[in-house]
Structure formats: structure tokens, C-alpha cells
Amino acid sequence: EAQVTQNPRYLITVTGKKLTVTCSQNMNHEYMSWYRQDPGLGLRQIYYSMNVEVTDKGDVPEGYKVSRKEKRNFPLILESPSPNQTSLYFCASSPNRNLNTEAFFGQGTRLTVV
Amino acid sequence: AQKVTQAQTEISVVEKEDVTLDCVYETRDTTYYLFWYKQPPSGELVFLIRRNSFDEQNEISGRYSWNFQKSTSSFNFTITASQVVDSAVYFCALSTTSGTYKYIFGTGTRLKVLA
């Protein structure tokens, strides 16, 4: 089954404790991206990747890191989480950078930083 | 600038009523794509429809229909005979080929269908 898999689905952590949210897709998509969803703000892009070893900042990259060492994986790293990073996070993939098809989303990761 | 506006923050209707969710977009690109997603209470994003800028045909899928009007930069979504299961947050989104490399989302409309 074609899918984007995120883990974990839920995470409660403390300020400053490094964490990684994993994202994997099995559709051989070139493009992957991370979004955060906050009430009243919709989904905002954090980082994106157009292919292996090619990543770039989105609209709200502060406090986040990503890597794309393999085509299928695109982890989101919070080196020192803070309470303002409490949010619902989505990983997305698309066949190519033209974004002329719908984004395929993971199930979401609800992160709480206390 | 590219932008998607969903001015309706929340809508409540009684079951079996028709409801229209508005979406207005801004882009200077001539080639672009519009999408609607549904986010039920469980939280996942469910793709509903994609429309490209060269295809202004309206579409109907069961109780769902979409009205794309380039003249008013709108891509509205109508649910006919709404049901409780339609209760969700609905997002409209835009992508272009101009090199922004992102899907631009509206802020969403929360639809509550009351039994």
C-alpha cells in the first residue's frame, strides 16, 4: 500500500530534550516536506527536500533540522525543543518538485513540549 | 504573493442542509493547482480533489461538488444534504510551478453538522 509513515503519533517531551520524528514513504517520491499545523494558522511549511541531499527552509524553519540521506526517509529533528514547538506535525511527499499532484500526508505527530 | 483565504472559520448546519465552503486564492502564475483536504476529528488529512488552472469544469462526486471560477479566483466546495460524518476541518490549498516548492494552505473551515 502506498503510504507515508510518521512516528511517533503522539509525543510528550520536556524542554531541551532532543527528539526526532521519523517519516518514510514507499512511493519513490522525489519531493518531501514537513508542515506544522496550529489553530487559526493552517499548515505552514517547515522544511522541504527536492531529492536526496537537497533540502531547504520553508516558512518556519527556526528550531528544526532535517536530513535526506535516502530517498524514502526525511526525519525532522528538534535539537532543543521549546513549548512554542507544541503542534501537530505532518510529513508530506509528492512525486516531483512541480507539485502538480496532491500531497500524500503521513498520519500526523502530535507533539507536546512541557 | 501567493495566498489562500478561507474566510469562514467555523460553520454549523443541521443535518441534510446544503453547505458551501469558500476558498479564494491569489497567484500570478498561469499554471497552478488547487486542492481540498478533509481533516476529520481523528486528525489525518484526507485528499478530496485536485484541479489545475486550465480546467474550469465543475466537478461532482456524490454529495460533493466543486465550483472553480478563475474570474473570481475562487474554488468553492459544496456538500449537499450534509451528514454528521461530514463534520471536520476542511482545507483548501494551492501549488504553483513558479518555484515556491510548497503547498500553500488556507487556515481551514471547521464544519459542524448537527443531528
Side-chain angles (χ1 to χ4, degrees):
Chain A
E1 180 189 354
Q3 59 185 1
V4 178
T5 303
Q6 284 179 237
N7 279 298
R9 293 289 310 278
Y10 302 92
L11 180 59
I12 301 174
T13 190
V14 296
T15 299
K17 185 177 181 182
K18 180 179 179 179
L19 67 91
T20 299
V21 183
T22 64
C23 175
S24 181
Q25 50 93 4
N26 62 1
M27 296 168 280
N28 201 37
H29 285 174
E30 289 185 351
Y31 174 94
M32 297 185 75
S33 184
W34 278 101
Y35 290 81
R36 61 177 288 173
Q37 180 184 349
D38 301 292
L41 297 177
L43 280 80
R44 295 178 293 167
Q45 189 187 57
I46 303 171
Y47 268 94
Y48 66 94
S49 169
M50 291 193 281
N51 216 322
V52 176
E53 302 292 1
V54 181
T55 63
D56 208 346
K57 297 177 180 178
D59 296 320
V60 287
E62 295 76 21
Y64 304 95
K65 285 176 55 177
V66 294
S67 67
R68 188 95 181 270
K69 296 177 182 172
E70 305 166 283
K71 199 170 188 178
R72 64 185 292 125
N73 296 324
F74 190 46
L76 180 69
I77 303 158
L78 285 72
E79 294 268 1
S80 183
S82 62
N84 64 12
Q85 293 178 299
T86 292
S87 188
L88 177 58
Y89 291 86
F90 287 100
C91 179
S93 74
S94 185
N96 57 62
R97 67 182 68 183
N98 292 327
L99 307 186
N100 52 6
T101 69
E102 70 273 21
F104 292 75
F105 283 95
Q107 316 95 306
T109 295
R110 193 168 292 279
L111 172 66
T112 302
V113 183
V114 299
Chain B
Q2 297 173 338
K3 188 178 177 182
V4 173
T5 300
Q6 295 181 257
Q8 304 152 309
T9 305
E10 185 169 313
I11 302 174
S12 291
V13 298
V14 177
E15 208 171 18
K16 297 184 184 176
E17 283 186 4
D18 299 346
V19 58
T20 296
L21 309 182
D22 297 333
C23 173
V24 174
Y25 62 93
E26 295 176 32
T27 180
R28 292 184 179 177
D29 294 328
T30 56
T31 302
Y32 54 89
Y33 305 89
L34 296 164
F35 309 87
W36 275 95
Y37 285 86
K38 174 183 180 180
Q39 186 176 47
S42 50
E44 74 273 20
L45 289 164
V46 178
F47 166 71
L48 296 178
I49 191 170
R50 163 190 171 275
R51 177 64 77 226
N52 72 55
S53 54
F54 300 108
D55 182 4
E56 281 195 79
Q57 266 193 321
N58 292 329
E59 178 148 342
I60 298 174
S61 175
R63 296 184 297 107
Y64 295 172
S65 63
W66 291 268
N67 184 308
F68 176 30
Q69 290 197 334
K70 288 177 77 170
S71 60
T72 56
S73 297
S74 64
F75 187 42
N76 296 337
F77 173 30
T78 298
I79 301 175
T80 302
S82 60
Q83 299 177 1
V84 172
V85 293
D86 296 326
S87 297
V89 179
Y90 291 86
F91 290 99
C92 181
L94 164 73
S95 69
T96 74
T97 57
S98 66
T100 53
Y101 305 120
K102 64 182 176 184
Y103 295 89
I104 301 158
F105 283 81
T107 51
T109 297
R110 181 178 298 277
L111 175 64
K112 293 185 177 179
V113 182
L114 308 172

